[in-house]
Amino acid sequence: ILEQQPALTIGGDIPTDASTIVSTFAPESFTINIRTATNAMLSVAQPDYPGWIATLDGNPVPILRAYGALAAVEIPAGDHTVIFRYEPLSYKIGAMISLLAWASVVILGGIQLFRRKTNE
């Protein structure tokens, strides 16, 4: 099911006492609250696509590839919150380029206004 070995020791049986609740869901982010008495693997019907990051109780965790294309996260025993967020590098680069472009427009516009005022 997994393309790589998990770091946690996980039994072969599905925990019967485990529960999950999706508490928030948006296109770029979703939160899952998990309760399990034993170590478990959380597999979500979310493609394992570059740009997605996961945190377990606020700490970054690796996203494992399950079933050939879906995302999975190791869950230690206990109550936990997993957050998946889509934060691709291309978005950050695009935002910086846009910021630089707008800053250039403002600066060049200011220079043009200054030149007009001094030529009058």
Side-chain angles (χ1 to χ4, degrees):
I1 295 174
L2 295 174
E3 288 188 4
Q4 61 270 43
Q5 279 297 113
L8 288 177
T9 302
I10 299 173
D13 298 328
I14 297 173
T16 56
D17 61 345
S19 66
T20 59
I21 298 172
V22 177
S23 58
T24 62
F25 186 83
E28 298 88 17
S29 174
F30 56 96
T31 303
I32 303 172
N33 298 315
I34 302 159
R35 172 174 283 170
T36 180
T38 61
N39 293 342
M41 184 66 59
L42 172 68
S43 176
V44 294
Q46 171 68 38
D48 181 24
Y49 190 77
W52 282 96
I53 61 168
T55 60
L56 176 70
D57 299 329
N59 300 311
V61 291
I63 297 176
L64 306 175
R65 183 168 284 216
Y67 303 103
L70 300 179
V73 174
E74 298 172 282
I75 307 296
D79 294 348
H80 302 284
T81 300
V82 175
I83 300 174
F84 285 86
R85 284 191 319 272
Y86 187 59
E87 296 181 1
L89 181 60
S90 59
Y91 176 79
K92 294 174 185 175
I93 292 171
M96 289 302 295
I97 290 171
S98 295
L99 180 63
L100 290 173
W102 278 108
S104 297
V105 167
V106 169
I107 291 169
L108 292 174
I111 290 170
Q112 280 296 96
L113 285 173
F114 180 74
R115 285 183 178 169
R116 279 191 184 169
K117 294 283 184 183
T118 56
N119 287 341
E120 289 179 359

